[in-house]
Amino acid sequence: MSLLEIDSVTLKFGGLTAVNNLSMKVEEGQVFALVGPNGAGKSTVFNLISRFYTPVSGSITFDGKDVLKLAPHDVPQLGIARTFQNIELFHQATVLQNLLVGRHRHRQTNMISQMLHLPSVRAEERAHRHAVEEVIDLLDLQPYRNSRIAGLPYGVRKVVELGRALASKPRLLLLDEPASGLSVEETQNMRWWIDDIRRHMKITVLMVEHDMGLVSKVCDRVLALADGAKLAEGTPAEVQSHPSVIEAYLGTNAVSKGGKVA
Amino acid sequence: MKFHFKTDYDQDIRMFPDWWNFSLYAALLVLALCLPLLIDPFFLGEATNVLIWATAGLGLMLLTGQTGQVSLGHSAFMALGCYSCVLMMEANVPFLAAFLLAGVITGIVGALIAIPALKLHGVYLAIATLALAILADDIIVLLKEWTDGVNGKMSPPIDLFGYEISRWNNPVEWYYLTLAVVLMVTLFYRNLLRAPLGRAFAAVRDSEISAQAMGVNVAQTKTIAFGISCAITGLGGALMGLFAGAFNNETFNFLLSIQLLMMIVVGGLGFIHGAFLGAVVIAFLPQVLSMTTDLFGRGVAIPGLESGVFGVILILFILFEPMGLYGRWLKIRTFLELFPFARKDMFKRQKSYLKTERLR
Ligand SMILES: Nc1ncnc2c1ncn2[C@@H]1O[C@H](COP(=O)(O)OP(=O)(O)OP(=O)(O)O)[C@@H](O)[C@H]1O
Ligand SMILES: [Mg+2]
């Protein structure tokens, strides 16, 4: 059994078929990439897994459990964490508080004991802090620990969002364009982190990424999507040289994306 | 400038980050405790009034400042807190039990009302809750068997463990009672902010989408916030009615909701300090206004002047100082601490994405 199984899923927005009869399997321990031109439906696949959208047909299972039966806020409970393409942080809160929200699924105390700040609450807070501090060390976020998100540069926010997802100690991490808008060095860092996340933290990664350089360095498996349907699937090299993938890019977005496929 | 050197996690978890901070609030507490020795009974009454406003304001602050949900219906919950407390006292429930139960009742009713109301967002929620406030006025009149409608009720004397506390004979005891309530509420409030629930409030305020993606049940969190908020505001309402000596439907009309909202915006949304600063403004503004009209108009009463001035102040703050008085103080403090290195754009708001674009 694969960790994540998407089976013939279709989603329509009015007349537009955003995801068209898509099937894919992500195995435990893999780093899996979804690629495709703009508007292909990659983010929509993430939003389906997060239960923000409900497909017209098909099934999604995680570790054998039916994801489609869950409410959006129950999905993280399975051990699925994600980032967003347009960065969705809690911008009035500090970096530390953002990362601590990542621990939400591990909370154990109730409202009354929290109001009274009972010893159990303090012990729990210490444990959360410890887990978050590990993430801060991994991602070198020490200088920003108590900064509010609203004043941070874009590159740092991207890392904080990754950190918030990691703080929840997920089994599956969904990264929507982790390197978009990052500088060369920042992209390099992102590459090491994804390697670390897979090797040392044993987290399976499903990512959307346009930067084929990064994809071929960190991913074992790639699925190319166009107009919501699967074009090709295989190793990065196989997918990059697949005729229909080349056609999809060169035919529609030759100027903007052509260079990246080759 | 002060540097915080972190040596263990508790420094962030503790109520006060360092000794300096602790001493500051300890001094403030001592000042509050000694206040009756320092000022005469009239001003002590004003101080009590400020603390009552602060209690009610903390309730709305939790909802609007922490969770990002605007309510213009909180006058209704002040009324509910007040009437339920007084009715229980009239039924010979001991004051302390009646008072705390009134908070619990208001909290539960608030949470029940929140379940449908919180499906609305932003300005729609504000309008719906405003309707509730206007409705409450009529309901009080309709239920005149219990509420004595427009004639109103006399506040019964407070009997606390055998000591009678009346506003006119025991202003000092009244002050201490209010101080105890506001301290309790502030303590609970502060504790929530450093716990998972408080962070869930902030998460819902800043991004419902990613709150969900982190496992926060948005509807439930909002409902809890509304419930706690109403409970606190209900306690404030009970104190206000008891302190006033007599109250009727007019005491809790919808303008009170607007004053409450103005108070927390002016004080500084999202800060406990903001509720207190706002309370000072709201409690003393009428006095300042009547003093100025006396000075210029020789006793000519201008109808609606007070509400008008409140409205103008609210708009000015929203336009020019959205972080309120407390935000202004933070800026001044940072400026002084960093002098001469402060940058002009340090507190600039960042542009955020349009909601419709967020998921793509
Ligand atoms: N909420 C929505 N309502 C209507 N249409 C939508 C919605 N979300 C996405 N779409 C449409 O569905 C299609 C797929 O969008 P999606 O965001 O999944 O693309 P993508 O592959 O992530 O593209 P990009 O590389 O630009 O991020 C697009 O045509 C988009 O306009
Ligand atoms: Mg996308």
Side-chain angles (χ1 to χ4, degrees):
Chain A
M1 188 175 58
S2 315
L3 188 63
L4 177 73
E5 291 190 23
I6 295 181
D7 189 29
S8 11
V9 163
T10 299
L11 177 73
K12 294 192 169 124
F13 291 117
L16 177 89
T17 307
V19 175
N20 192 356
N21 199 24
L22 178 74
S23 298
M24 59 185 265
K25 285 182 181 174
V26 180
E27 306 296 335
E28 181 121 45
Q30 254 176 357
V31 175
F32 192 114
L34 272 179
V35 302
N38 291 104
K42 307 175 298 288
S43 300
T44 306
V45 171
F46 276 22
N47 292 334
L48 281 166
I49 301 172
S50 295
R51 293 291 290 118
F52 295 148
Y53 303 141
T54 300
V56 221
S57 62
S59 73
I60 302 178
T61 56
F62 180 80
D63 196 21
K65 293 179 203 84
D66 186 356
V67 175
L68 297 183
K69 280 209 185 106
L70 302 175
H73 58 258
D74 287 327
V75 174
Q77 220 65 44
L78 295 176
I80 300 179
R82 68 170 290 174
T83 66
F84 292 84
Q85 186 169 352
N86 287 332
I87 307 190
E88 282 281 338
L89 287 167
F90 309 121
H91 55 273
Q92 300 290 351
T94 64
V95 169
L96 187 61
Q97 287 164 338
N98 268 270
L99 299 186
L100 283 168
V101 176
R103 303 290 305 161
H104 192 80
R105 77 181 184 102
H106 298 285
R107 77 201 180 286
Q108 264 147 11
T109 51
N110 62 19
M111 180 178 93
I112 304 290
S113 47
Q114 290 178 21
M115 265 190 196
L116 300 173
H117 199 75
L118 296 183
S120 59
V121 176
R122 178 162 292 212
E124 187 185 1
E125 283 301 297
R126 276 193 200 121
H128 289 331
R129 254 324 273 282
H130 189 73
V132 160
E133 219 50 54
E134 279 176 2
V135 173
I136 288 179
D137 283 343
L138 172 74
L139 302 180
D140 292 328
L141 283 171
Q142 296 90 344
Y144 307 106
R145 198 187 269 120
N146 291 310
S147 318
R148 292 226 272 168
I149 302 298
L152 290 178
Y154 181 86
V156 179
R157 293 186 195 203
K158 220 73 209 172
V159 179
V160 175
E161 218 195 12
L162 172 66
R164 185 180 63 182
L166 281 179
S168 77
K169 284 227 165 24
R171 291 178 67 192
L172 174 67
L173 183 60
L174 309 177
L175 302 176
D176 200 344
E177 309 207 5
S180 76
L182 295 188
S183 69
V184 179
E185 298 95 275
E186 286 167 337
T187 308
Q188 193 60 252
N189 281 338
M190 194 56 80
R191 185 199 151 178
W192 302 129
W193 287 327
I194 294 174
D195 271 339
D196 270 356
I197 289 166
R198 178 244 287 273
R199 291 230 170 76
H200 303 298
M201 304 175 81
K202 311 267 182 254
I203 296 172
T204 309
V205 179
L206 171 60
M207 61 189 243
V208 169
E209 186 50 61
H210 283 296
D211 182 345
M212 285 308 283
L214 180 67
V215 167
S216 49
K217 279 183 202 118
V218 299
C219 300
D220 342 84
R221 203 162 174 82
V222 179
L223 187 150
L225 211 59
D227 296 326
K230 185 196 290 188
L231 276 184
E233 193 182 340
T235 64
E238 281 165 13
V239 169
Q240 258 172 303
S241 56
H242 197 287
S244 53
V245 174
I246 294 173
E247 196 202 303
Y249 275 103
L250 296 182
T252 54
N253 289 23
V255 189
S256 62
K257 303 287 179 213
K260 288 189 181 169
V261 189
Chain B
M1 191 182 168
K2 251 175 326 108
F3 287 97
H4 290 282
F5 291 104
K6 306 257 156 126
T7 45
D8 69 321
Y9 304 150
D10 278 12
Q11 259 171 303
D12 292 312
I13 302 171
R14 267 201 295 271
M15 174 109 48
F16 305 102
D18 52 32
W19 270 103
W20 165 244
N21 191 278
F22 172 76
S23 328
L24 213 64
Y25 287 99
L28 205 60
L29 179 65
V30 170
L31 181 69
L33 288 173
C34 296
L35 204 61
L37 302 174
L38 303 174
I39 58 180
D40 70 35
F42 172 77
F43 283 107
L44 197 63
E46 291 302 308
T48 309
N49 193 27
V50 167
L51 295 183
I52 291 173
W53 273 105
T55 309
L58 280 169
L60 188 59
M61 185 67 87
L62 187 94
L63 186 68
T64 306
Q66 246 62 47
T67 323
Q69 312 298 310
V70 179
S71 165
L72 286 174
H74 268 46
S75 60
F77 298 108
M78 291 179 78
L80 181 59
C82 179
Y83 279 100
S84 54
C85 178
V86 168
L87 285 173
M88 279 186 278
M89 283 166 73
E90 285 175 355
N92 290 324
V93 179
F95 166 72
L96 203 57
F99 181 68
L100 294 177
L101 265 177
V104 172
I105 292 172
T106 314
I108 292 173
V109 172
L112 290 177
I113 290 178
I115 293 170
L118 287 173
K119 296 220 167 74
L120 303 170
H121 287 258
V123 72
Y124 300 102
L125 178 64
I127 293 170
T129 47
L130 181 62
L132 181 72
I134 295 171
L135 205 64
D137 196 330
D138 295 331
I139 292 176
I140 293 172
V141 177
L142 280 176
L143 295 179
K144 58 173 172 296
E145 261 178 64
W146 293 285
T147 62
D148 294 325
V150 288
N151 297 329
K153 274 185 168 307
M154 300 295 284
S155 323
I158 296 174
D159 178 4
L160 196 61
F161 308 122
Y163 293 97
E164 185 176 304
I165 306 180
S166 94
R167 175 178 177 180
W168 306 112
N169 301 334
N170 325 76
V172 176
E173 284 79 358
W174 240 108
Y175 169 78
Y176 281 126
L177 171 71
T178 319
L179 184 64
V181 172
V182 82
L183 284 179
M184 177 191 77
V185 168
T186 307
L187 183 72
F188 287 173
Y189 195 125
R190 179 75 180 80
N191 281 345
L192 274 183
L193 290 193
R194 54 179 169 157
L197 189 56
R199 291 192 293 266
F201 290 163
V204 167
R205 173 192 65 200
D206 288 352
S207 166
E208 290 190 13
I209 275 293
S210 62
Q212 272 183 337
M214 291 295 119
V216 176
N217 182 337
V218 172
Q220 191 190 54
T221 305
K222 283 187 189 173
T223 309
I224 292 175
F226 210 94
I228 299 178
S229 163
C230 289
I232 298 174
T233 302
L235 294 180
L239 286 177
M240 193 174 275
L242 289 169
F243 191 62
F247 55 90
N248 66 358
N249 57 324
E250 287 288 313
T251 314
F252 300 105
N253 79 4
F254 74 95
L255 284 173
L256 190 62
S257 294
I258 295 173
Q259 284 179 310
L260 214 53
L261 187 67
M262 174 199 123
M263 179 181 132
I264 60 169
V265 171
V266 169
L269 276 181
F271 305 107
I272 292 178
H273 304 75
F276 285 88
L277 291 174
V280 172
V281 173
I282 206 101
F284 287 109
L285 196 62
Q287 260 91 328
V288 173
L289 276 182
S290 70
M291 265 162 20
T292 34
T293 42
D294 280 356
L295 214 61
F296 294 108
R298 296 266 162 247
V300 193
I302 308 171
L305 176 72
E306 206 179 300
S307 325
V309 172
F310 279 149
V312 170
I313 293 183
L314 182 61
I315 290 168
L316 289 179
F317 265 90
I318 291 175
L319 287 180
F320 299 113
E321 193 52 277
M323 286 172 77
L325 288 174
Y326 189 65
R328 169 62 28 190
W329 156 244
L330 286 182
K331 283 176 204 173
I332 294 172
R333 198 179 66 184
T334 316
F335 179 81
L336 293 177
E337 278 177 357
L338 294 182
F339 189 82
F341 300 113
R343 282 182 293 123
K344 240 197 165 144
D345 59 351
M346 216 142 58
F347 287 92
K348 256 232 178 81
R349 286 227 179 157
Q350 301 278 323
K351 172 183 174 294
S352 54
Y353 289 94
L354 286 177
K355 273 226 157 90
T356 46
E357 293 173 341
R358 281 183 159 187
L359 281 183
R360 298 189 201 169

